[in-house]
Amino acid sequence: MKRVLTIQDISCLGKCSLTIALPVISALGSETVILPTAVLSTHTMFKNFTCKDLSDQIDPIAAHWQSENIEFDAIYTGYLGTVSQIDQMKELFRNFKGDDTLIIVDPVMADNGKLYPAFDMDYVKKNTELCSLADMIVPNITEASLMTGMEYREEYDEAYIKELLGKLSELGAKITVLTGVSLEPGKTGIMGYDRTTDEYYVYQNQRIDAVYHGTGDLFSSTCVGEMMKGKDWRNAMRIAADYTAHTIEVTLQNPRKPWYGVDFEATLPELMTME
Ligand code: PXL
């Protein structure tokens, strides 16, 4: 069985980061080791959330694992709390990256043209450095524009996306995937670039007019889980895009109209057989 380490916050209520990564990657058949970076009462789209930073736990936890000679097939980072925590991630990558360990960085920090409340440009700079240590990165267009210094656009064409991908891949990752890319009216999906083969991959499905928090985490966690199952990155992206879109559709049918997260619990059984 593959062993994945995922490092993100725990938002106790809100369905994002670790409360998505742990069930999704486990359901896809990998042992999922978690390293919580902070505990929040809810995700940061709620007002008045509490937050307990866990930075002081990261080094002792990692040191204990090292003393036990623990190895990982993948290390996947998502929402991190602070600039200094990103330095701790760099150290952790150095200590745990084996020859076959896949490092996936989702530089979670912004969406819809705006940084999340807790972050500033120093954080963007640090996250950009972290991306340069990854094998694969999965930013959205907002994060990509912040990291490359390119203008954020809501209306764009393929040339703009290719330019973003080109600049991002110069950071160093083998695979760069941009999420939330809409290349045709009524469609949305991803566009990725493999720097080693100079190949692009586009996958688009129906655009659903609804915005839910945590869908980026659902997408990334599904990709990680699928790649650990042996899927090539393109197939992993395709399944993750289909699964995320399907989960949004199912959530929209929920009469309780949840606003803060998607009903992935209802669709998880289907994910396990998606091809
Ligand atoms: O889904 C990304 C995410 C993760 N963790 C926290 C968040 C968010 C997005 O808002 O607030 C704490």
Side-chain angles (χ1 to χ4, degrees):
M1 184 182 285
K2 301 276 186 184
R3 184 187 290 133
V4 177
L5 167 62
T6 180
I7 311 166
Q8 323 190 26
D9 70 281
I10 295 185
S11 290
C12 299
L13 177 120
K15 304 203 223 186
C16 65
S17 38
L18 280 187
T19 62
I20 284 194
L22 177 57
V24 169
I25 300 170
S26 299
L28 287 170
S30 290
E31 177 187 348
T32 311
V33 178
I34 59 166
L35 184 44
T37 54
V39 182
L40 293 87
S41 52
T42 63
H43 61 51
T44 62
M45 298 297 130
F46 282 80
K47 281 194 204 118
N48 306 324
F49 56 88
T50 68
C51 179
K52 171 73 179 167
D53 182 275
L54 296 177
S55 300
D56 65 352
Q57 295 301 303
I58 292 174
D59 296 348
I61 290 173
H64 180 212
W65 290 339
Q66 272 193 293
S67 75
E68 293 282 341
N69 296 319
I70 303 294
E71 294 177 348
F72 299 107
D73 297 290
I75 303 176
Y76 155 43
T77 65
Y79 186 105
L80 304 168
T82 57
V83 162
S84 63
Q85 240 176 33
I86 298 184
D87 283 327
Q88 289 178 292
M89 293 306 111
K90 292 181 181 173
E91 176 73 13
L92 203 130
F93 288 176
R94 270 194 293 276
N95 291 337
F96 287 96
K97 182 161 171 61
D99 291 344
D100 297 319
T101 310
L102 192 68
I103 299 203
I104 302 119
V105 172
D106 185 351
V108 179
M109 59 184 161
D111 206 358
N112 302 309
K114 280 199 232 100
L115 274 170
Y116 290 145
F119 303 133
D120 59 17
M121 284 313 283
D122 285 342
Y123 190 82
V124 172
K125 190 164 164 268
K126 270 283 164 194
N127 235 345
T128 312
E129 288 170 22
L130 193 67
C131 283
S132 70
L133 302 176
D135 297 301
M136 175 167 176
I137 58 173
V138 281
N140 60 35
I141 297 178
T142 308
E143 289 152 353
S145 68
L146 287 164
M147 290 196 291
T148 57
M150 274 177 66
E151 181 198 0
Y152 170 74
R153 290 199 204 150
E154 290 193 350
E155 310 247 317
Y156 49 78
D157 56 11
E158 194 177 288
Y160 170 76
I161 299 298
K162 280 189 165 170
E163 195 178 340
L164 272 179
L165 284 171
K167 293 214 159 102
L168 284 171
S169 78
E170 281 167 19
L171 297 175
K174 175 179 179 290
I175 312 278
T176 302
V177 175
L178 264 178
T179 60
V181 172
S182 169
L183 293 174
E184 286 173 61
K187 302 248 166 157
T188 191
I190 60 107
M191 183 162 182
Y193 177 66
D194 184 335
R195 198 164 64 97
T196 54
T197 57
D198 194 27
E199 276 172 343
Y200 292 94
Y201 175 68
V202 177
Y203 187 71
Q204 300 274 284
N205 47 25
Q206 287 311 111
R207 185 190 191 95
I208 309 159
D209 245 340
V211 177
Y212 284 106
H213 302 297
T215 49
D217 301 334
L218 191 64
F219 175 85
S220 303
S221 302
T222 307
C223 287
V224 172
E226 290 292 345
M227 286 193 300
M228 289 297 105
K229 272 172 79 177
K231 292 268 183 335
D232 149 78
W233 70 272
R234 297 170 196 81
N235 281 326
M237 298 292 137
R238 176 181 51 76
I239 294 171
D242 284 345
Y243 175 60
T244 306
H246 175 58
T247 303
I248 295 173
E249 265 169 353
V250 167
T251 308
L252 280 171
Q253 284 154 23
N254 180 339
R256 293 177 67 181
K257 304 262 172 265
W259 68 270
Y260 58 75
V262 286
D263 292 345
F264 72 95
E265 302 87 342
T267 55
L268 210 46
E270 290 167 78
L271 174 61
M272 285 182 262
T273 54
M274 279 174 81
E275 282 297 330

